[in-house]
Amino acid sequence: MREIVIVGGGYAGFYTAWGLERLLRAGEACVTVVDPRPYMTYQPFLPEVTAGSVEARHAAVSLRRHLRSTRLIAGSVTDIRHADRTITVRPVNGADYDLGYDTLVVTAGAVTRTFPIPGLAQQAIGLKHVEEAVAIRDRLMTAFDQAASLPPGADRRKLLTVTFVGGGFSGVEGFGELLSLATAMLKSYPELSPDDLSFHLVEARGRILPEVGDKPGAWVVRSLERRGARVHLNTQLVSAVDGHVVLSSGEEFDSALIVWTAGNASNPVVHNHTDLPVDERGLLVVRPDLRVGTDSEPVADVWAAGDDAAVPDLASSAPGARTVPNAQHAVRQGKRLAKNIAADLHGGKVRNYRHSSLGVVATLGLGRGIFQYKSLVIKGLPAWLMHRGYHVLAVPTWERKARVLTVWLTAALFGRDLVSLASVQHPRDAFVASSDTQLSDGGRAGSRPAA
């Protein structure tokens, strides 16, 4: 039986495995997915998870539930040696081991790109995984509770100051959604006023949302500023030591919540630990049919897609254009990968990947959004409705669609759920504190009350 190993269970990896389950004959091949997480994250929902508009579990698609005949390994791939047709797997528990394959699919995805900025690693949090989105929401809500019990001053101001670094889609959507949540929460905190909130979006370039035109991008900046936010263009984060933000413009302020969304970097296993061909950015060199290699030097039995692959964009007229790393391409590349691998095994025709953009749509908070398709630009509530409509259709499986739609309808009737569960990030604290208290009260931790 042929061994097909898929490195990474994100968009491209999930859809490749899902498609192969339907296209391969029984007993024809064993498909294995290696990923440290047991779910695929639907990343376009992460900004709404931060705002509580989507439940965290609804942004995650269980691999075991939907990949019924695929072998799943909970672990990370640390090395790819195609010369030996072997990968090294580092399981969640246990020692590293080698895994052989006949066909390899690399869909490891990108990682958050960071820089050696003082204090960044200690203070900031990313927005690439469900856990991070939940933590951002809980930290903001906990900050509101703490700030409400403090008098006006530096401590309260720091708690209610939020800083996002990075003006791409992830950063702008997360920023807009969190700003919308904070504004809505003020109604439940009479001790606080809009003047207590301070939201900063820091972008190194002269504009945000590079995927949309200059005028729509400028409109988004004005829209955020009308809602009380500060957008710092042509500005870089210089330091974040102890939450004290220093910008290249010279401005300084204290911020309790710093979110880093300043782009992606190639996955380390692809960039540094493989004998497969990579380009100057550390991305796998991929042909239009999603095989690794070039037309003159193809690599046998290796395929790749998603954020760690430099896939030629056949729909673009620009020479040497590559598909942008977004969900729209990763999903469709995964589907094409499954069809091409099955066709290759069955002696059929392998087709090139080609997809023209359906446009870009972004949420900027509850009831606010922007959509652009070529010269057509739609703003405000209609764009926000288009965003929700598109993503409820795009999220995989009918079960997830139904769950997300139910939460949205419930929120429309009863409003946002404003409960913070930050303590779940440290679930043993209450138990440990209770045990320590009982032991300090005379060592009666194991005693029973008298009948």
Side-chain angles (χ1 to χ4, degrees), residues 45-368:
F45 278 160
L46 293 186
E48 294 202 61
V49 171
T50 67
S53 299
V54 170
E55 288 293 329
R57 286 183 175 85
H58 299 169
V61 179
S62 170
L63 298 181
R64 290 196 177 275
R65 177 167 183 172
H66 301 289
L67 299 180
R68 299 178 182 272
S69 60
T70 298
R71 178 190 179 196
L72 300 173
I73 296 178
S76 303
V77 174
T78 60
D79 191 37
I80 298 173
R81 301 180 303 282
H82 186 59
D84 302 326
R85 302 226 172 189
T86 302
I87 63 173
T88 300
V89 177
R90 178 165 295 164
V92 174
N93 294 300
D96 293 5
Y97 63 91
D98 290 341
L99 180 67
Y101 62 83
D102 298 302
T103 298
L104 180 67
V105 180
V106 184
T107 54
V111 297
T112 300
R113 180 184 61 185
T114 59
F115 300 99
I117 297 172
L120 180 66
Q122 294 76 27
Q123 299 294 324
I125 185 171
L127 185 53
K128 199 170 184 63
H129 302 290
V130 173
E131 300 91 337
E132 294 172 324
V134 172
I136 290 169
R137 176 174 183 265
D138 285 341
R139 288 186 187 184
L140 178 70
M141 300 183 80
T142 299
F144 263 72
D145 288 333
Q146 295 172 350
S149 64
L150 294 175
D155 291 339
R156 175 192 278 190
R157 188 162 50 250
K158 179 177 181 179
L159 284 169
L160 298 180
T161 298
V162 176
T163 305
F164 271 66
V165 184
F169 257 82
S170 178
V172 172
E173 288 191 310
F175 185 78
E177 285 287 348
L178 208 63
L179 176 60
S180 179
L181 172 63
T183 304
M185 287 176 63
L186 287 173
K187 300 175 183 178
S188 301
Y189 290 84
E191 305 92 339
L192 306 176
S193 72
D195 293 337
D196 291 316
L197 294 181
S198 184
F199 272 67
H200 298 263
L201 177 62
V202 181
E203 169 53 46
R205 292 167 293 187
R207 53 163 300 174
I208 61 174
L209 293 179
E211 295 86 350
V212 304
D214 290 341
K215 290 184 177 180
W219 176 85
V220 173
V221 171
R222 293 194 301 272
S223 174
L224 292 172
E225 290 178 337
R226 283 195 298 268
R227 294 161 59 188
R230 290 280 309 280
V231 180
H232 306 263
L233 299 178
N234 296 310
T235 305
Q236 297 178 351
L237 177 67
V238 175
S239 175
V241 176
D242 295 328
H244 183 71
V245 173
V246 180
L247 303 180
S248 59
S249 62
E251 187 169 352
E252 300 183 24
F253 51 86
D254 290 328
S255 180
L257 179 56
I258 302 172
V259 183
W260 180 268
T261 60
N264 297 323
S266 174
N267 193 294
V269 70
V270 172
H271 192 277
N272 301 317
H273 303 287
T274 180
D275 56 358
L276 298 172
V278 297
D279 66 8
E280 67 281 357
R281 296 172 298 170
L283 302 178
L284 287 169
V285 177
V286 177
R287 305 189 333 173
D289 61 4
L290 303 179
R291 297 177 191 266
V292 170
T294 63
D295 291 337
S296 59
E297 297 183 10
V299 179
D301 299 317
V302 185
W303 309 74
D307 292 355
D308 59 9
V311 180
D313 189 354
L314 301 184
S316 173
S317 58
R322 298 291 185 265
T323 58
V324 296
N326 61 22
Q328 196 175 130
H329 281 296
V331 168
R332 288 164 177 80
Q333 288 170 8
K335 293 178 179 180
R336 172 47 54 194
L337 260 180
K339 293 176 181 177
N340 280 357
I341 293 171
D344 187 55
L345 294 179
H346 299 156
K349 184 178 181 180
V350 173
R351 301 182 183 276
N352 290 338
Y353 172 75
R354 182 187 182 94
H355 171 66
S356 298
S357 174
L358 300 176
V360 292
V361 61
T363 174
L364 304 174
L366 196 62
R368 300 176 176 90

